[in-house]
């Protein structure tokens, strides 16, 4: 027994898109959640490269971290909390001389990565945009 609201015997040919929209929204949420996880899970072996000659510049500022985690600026030992202020002063002096300050960062290979990251963050906070990380061949 069928109930009909139409007076004629024509077939109703409208498509109900609500279930389609629901499925698409669920798929969108799934892709949004899983996309960041996929970028961190790819194992990559980076290629070895030939050594590149450093750019010629006058008096590069060298920030060094030795095996014990001590910080040095051009062979002068400094406290870790004074690194940023010393870099800001060096940048201001370079700007007065109309030069662009370039920093070379070198760290002992046994140093904790956190120490290197803190040094790089201090260099960035000081407003220095030219940074070269020095490595061995």
């Amino acid at each position: 027994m069928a109930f009909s609201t139409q007076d004629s015997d024509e077939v109703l040919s409208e498509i109900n898109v609500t279930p389609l929209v629901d499925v698409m929204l669920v798929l969108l949420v799934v892709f949004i959640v899983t996309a960041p996880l996929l970028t961190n899970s790819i194992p990559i072996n980076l290629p070895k490269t030939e050594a590149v000659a450093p750019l010629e510049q006058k008096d590069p500022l060298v920030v060094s971290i030795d095996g014990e985690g001590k910080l040095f600026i051009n062979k002068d030992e400094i406290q870790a909390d004074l690194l940023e202020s010393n870099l800001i002063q060096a940048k201001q002096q370079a700007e007065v001389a109309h030069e662009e300050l370039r920093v070379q960062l070198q760290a002992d290979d046994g140093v904790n990565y956190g120490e290197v990251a803190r040094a790089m963050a201090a260099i960035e906070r000081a407003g220095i945009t030219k940074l070269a990380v020095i490595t061995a061949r």
Side-chain angles (χ1 to χ4, degrees):
M1 184 174 207
F3 296 100
S4 176
T5 58
Q6 298 178 355
D7 291 354
S8 64
D9 291 335
E10 294 179 17
V11 177
L12 181 64
S13 63
E14 294 179 13
I15 297 175
N16 188 1
V17 294
T18 304
L20 178 65
V21 171
D22 290 343
V23 169
M24 295 305 292
L25 287 175
V26 168
L27 287 175
L28 179 66
V29 169
V30 168
F31 286 130
I32 288 173
V33 170
T34 59
L37 300 176
L38 295 176
T39 59
N40 294 333
S41 65
I42 299 173
I44 296 176
N45 292 324
L46 295 176
K48 304 276 189 240
T49 60
E50 294 296 322
V52 178
L55 294 174
E56 292 296 323
Q57 65 177 354
K58 297 179 182 176
D59 300 316
L61 184 68
V62 180
V63 177
S64 304
I65 306 173
D66 70 358
E68 298 172 359
K70 295 179 185 175
L71 280 170
F72 298 87
I73 293 182
N74 291 338
K75 299 181 182 180
D76 296 325
E77 185 176 352
I78 63 162
Q79 297 295 324
D81 54 346
L82 298 177
L83 176 63
E84 185 178 344
S85 62
N86 286 348
L87 291 173
I88 290 172
Q89 289 175 354
K91 183 177 181 197
Q92 290 171 348
Q93 290 172 356
E95 288 175 350
V96 168
H98 301 291
E99 295 177 357
E100 185 174 21
L101 181 64
R102 294 175 188 244
V103 174
Q104 294 178 349
L105 175 64
Q106 59 185 10
D108 189 274
D109 118 17
V111 173
N112 184 352
Y113 178 71
E115 298 290 330
V116 177
R118 280 190 278 282
M120 291 176 75
I123 292 168
E124 183 181 7
R125 284 192 306 268
I128 297 169
T129 58
K130 302 290 183 181
L131 172 66
V133 179
I134 307 300
T135 60
R137 287 188 190 197

